[in-house]
Amino acid sequence: MPTASEAPYNFSYQTEVLKSAILSRLLLLILILLWRTLLTPYDTSAPLNPTCLNHPSSSPPPPLLPSLGSAIENGVVWDSVYFLRIAQCGYEYEQSYAFLPLLPACIFILSRTVFAPLVSLIGDRAVLALSGYVICNVAFVLAAIYFYRLSAVVLKDPNAALRASVLFCFNPASIFYSSIYSESLYALFSVGGLYYLESRANNTALVWLALSGFARSNGVLNAGYYGFQTMHQAYDAAFMRKRALILLSGALRCMCIFVPFITFQTYGYHNICLGRSSDEMRPWCKARIPLLYNYIQSHYWGVGFLKYFQLKQLPNFLLASPILSLAVCSIIYYVKSRPEIVLSLGFQPSLEEKSSTVVIFSEDKSSNSPPISEKYTSRRQENHNIKLRKKMNRGGDPAECRIDHGSVEKLGYTSASILPYILHLSFMVATAFFVMHVQVATRLLSASPSLYWFASLLMYYPSISKRCGYMIWAYCSAYILLGSLLFSNFYPFT
């Protein structure tokens, strides 16, 4: 696995990704302003802002530019209302604990420092909203850059990394990355953490992935990447004394990913349950494992296994069908292409990989032990490369036929290093379909790198690239237009 300094970047491509990310945010801003101008919002109650319960104060003086402040506040819809309220007043109600604290904390800090002088001009809540917009959009641009870096490291193909990254910039859940939602911060810390993990910067990766668990609850699933890494490192060190140390280190790292989420649950338990009599306690306080988040999702939003399988929810299943179909196809394609890798969880690389050095989450840069790899002789590598060239000339699968003229074969989307991403995506798809409100799948899965890697592969096929390219871009464009139209005017959309 290359280090960060040796990563197969093409810096001109990274610049293209940066431009695409900024362009996509400007496009969303224009669309939001356009739809807000042409249509009347379904719900106009979002600008209402009652006094905080915890620290009521006298009414602040009116801002000097109330119309500008009102225009900024009018864009605060759906969950953005909760995030701003938490940033302004803290956690006042039980259901507000469904929203994790990283985004509200960032909004609070920015609004009280950099943007504090604007309070007298546009008002306190408008400054909070402006801070939220800046944080989320800047975080998305940074996430796009890290997405390209991660893709270049994993796929070892700058062209495929560029295609996938541009798709990410214009993904179907784009409206949420331009709104005051936690998707942008989650994508930044999740994708950035994976990049550092692939680059062997384990300690940096640990911090970033842990912060992703402070942004969204599904950030705790990133512990699975460390679990996968530890499993392979322990296997590689099966006959060495340090095996127990590897297992202990991996277990501690996995636990660190859970720490932010568990800390927040403890904070909720302290605020809601402690100091109350048994009769006053909420039902979840008396549970053997008092998980506030699970109770809120089930009690207030009706989230649960098969609870959403109702005839009236058919439109929402249809709304989520494109992203779920793409995800399922990406999983099936990988399983069919590399069944031996999937069945062995990556312990037995396929024949196509036996002439290369295949790395699955190497250890720290500072470690003296070699990375987890399968090494073969140069003669066997040369013979295998000749076979691959013949296969490519006959029109074979480009993902299977890419050859590095150095020492490492480029298997792209079907390499063993993709397996942990496929396993992560599989769990997310199953959860979105069977447990969650299924329409949320569009934004839940939008930060999964393997989705865009697979879409990039489809667009590269000589026989179907044109058709698939049209379909994928049509899907992204339609959801960007539909999302900006419905979401910004307080109509339901995922």
Side-chain angles (χ1 to χ4, degrees), residues 114-312:
V114 177
F115 292 147
L118 299 179
V119 172
S120 60
L121 295 177
I122 59 178
D124 184 55
R125 191 165 186 265
V127 168
L128 289 169
L130 180 62
S131 301
Y133 286 124
V134 170
I135 289 168
C136 292
N137 284 274
V138 170
F140 176 80
V141 173
L142 295 176
I145 294 174
Y146 274 107
F147 189 96
Y148 172 74
R149 293 182 177 182
L150 173 65
S151 301
V153 169
V154 175
L155 300 178
K156 301 179 179 66
D157 183 347
N159 293 311
L162 176 62
R163 292 194 301 270
S165 301
V166 173
L167 280 173
F168 174 72
C169 290
F170 295 92
N171 74 74
S174 287
I175 183 62
F176 298 101
Y177 289 92
S178 285
S179 304
I180 306 176
Y181 267 57
S182 55
E183 269 70 17
S184 292
L185 282 177
Y186 169 77
L188 171 60
F189 289 112
S190 179
V191 174
L194 292 174
Y195 162 72
Y196 286 116
L197 185 60
E198 291 281 0
S199 302
R200 301 187 229 173
N202 264 332
N203 293 332
T204 304
L206 182 64
V207 175
W208 282 59
L209 293 177
L211 285 173
S212 74
F214 245 148
R216 289 186 59 83
S217 59
N218 52 296
V220 300
L221 298 179
N222 288 326
Y225 291 104
Y226 271 113
F228 190 88
Q229 178 197 58
T230 301
M231 180 175 63
H232 279 263
Q233 290 177 350
Y235 178 82
D236 191 54
F239 303 102
M240 301 171 65
R241 291 183 178 180
K242 66 175 184 177
R243 185 182 185 185
L245 181 62
I246 290 174
L247 291 174
L248 178 61
S249 175
L252 290 176
R253 285 170 175 164
C254 289
M255 290 173 60
C256 287
I257 303 296
F258 281 88
V259 165
F261 183 78
I262 295 175
T263 301
F264 183 63
Q265 298 305 296
T266 304
Y267 172 74
Y269 182 85
H270 177 270
N271 288 347
I272 297 176
C273 300
L274 294 185
R276 299 178 183 272
S277 64
S278 179
D279 295 335
E280 295 176 331
M281 278 189 180
R282 301 291 291 157
W284 66 271
C285 295
K286 304 174 185 178
R288 179 174 298 179
I289 302 178
L291 281 179
L292 172 58
Y293 186 83
N294 288 0
Y295 175 80
I296 292 173
Q297 292 292 334
S298 176
H299 181 73
Y300 292 98
W301 281 278
V303 173
F305 184 66
L306 299 182
K307 286 186 177 181
Y308 218 57
F309 278 63
Q310 305 173 29
L311 185 60
K312 65 180 181 180

Side-chain angles (χ1 to χ4, degrees), residues 46-49 60-76 80 84-85 87-88 107-108 110-112 115-135 180:
L48 297 178
N49 187 36
L64 299 177
L65 300 174
S67 57
L68 179 58
S70 177
I72 295 174
E73 290 187 48
N74 286 339
V76 179
S80 303
L84 284 195
R85 184 70 179 181
Q88 184 179 20
I107 293 174
F108 176 83
L110 190 61
S111 66
R112 295 296 183 269
F115 292 147
L118 299 179
V119 172
S120 60
L121 295 177
I122 59 178
D124 184 55
R125 191 165 186 265
V127 168
L128 289 169
L130 180 62
S131 301
Y133 286 124
V134 170
I135 289 168
I180 306 176

Side-chain angles (χ1 to χ4, degrees), residues 320-445:
S321 60
I323 194 75
L324 290 175
S325 299
L326 182 63
V328 170
C329 287
S330 69
I331 295 167
I332 293 175
Y333 179 87
Y334 187 87
V335 172
K336 285 187 174 182
S337 300
R338 296 291 183 265
E340 66 284 353
I341 292 177
V342 176
L343 293 176
S344 66
L345 292 179
F347 290 108
Q348 297 180 7
S350 61
L351 293 177
E352 284 82 354
E353 293 174 297
K354 287 186 177 180
S355 64
S356 64
T357 302
V358 179
V359 182
I360 306 175
F361 290 141
S362 313
E363 295 186 33
D364 289 329
K365 298 176 186 177
S366 58
S367 175
N368 293 324
S369 61
I372 303 165
S373 59
E374 296 291 340
K375 299 180 180 178
Y376 292 84
T377 64
S378 59
R379 176 175 294 182
R380 189 174 294 181
Q381 173 187 341
E382 181 180 354
N383 292 338
H384 186 65
N385 284 349
I386 293 174
K387 292 180 182 179
L388 284 179
R389 289 191 185 96
K390 291 180 179 179
K391 186 175 181 180
M392 186 163 54
N393 291 334
R394 293 195 299 267
D397 185 341
E400 300 175 12
C401 302
R402 300 193 187 106
I403 302 169
D404 189 354
H405 298 287
S407 61
V408 181
E409 173 196 346
K410 298 178 182 178
L411 290 170
Y413 179 76
T414 53
S415 68
S417 58
I418 304 293
L419 179 59
Y421 300 91
I422 294 295
L423 296 175
H424 182 272
L425 177 62
S426 301
F427 185 86
M428 296 273 282
V429 168
T431 303
F433 187 75
F434 291 108
V435 179
M436 301 177 60
H437 291 184
V438 71
Q439 69 271 22
V440 180
T442 301
R443 55 190 176 98
L444 178 71
L445 304 179

Side-chain angles (χ1 to χ4, degrees), residues 449-476:
S450 56
L451 269 180
Y452 305 97
W453 297 339
F454 176 68
S456 172
L457 173 65
L458 289 181
M459 297 172 68
Y460 189 70
Y461 262 121
S463 58
I464 61 174
S465 61
K466 192 172 183 180
R467 181 183 60 190
C468 282
Y470 283 147
M471 291 178 63
I472 291 171
W473 280 114
Y475 163 51
C476 293

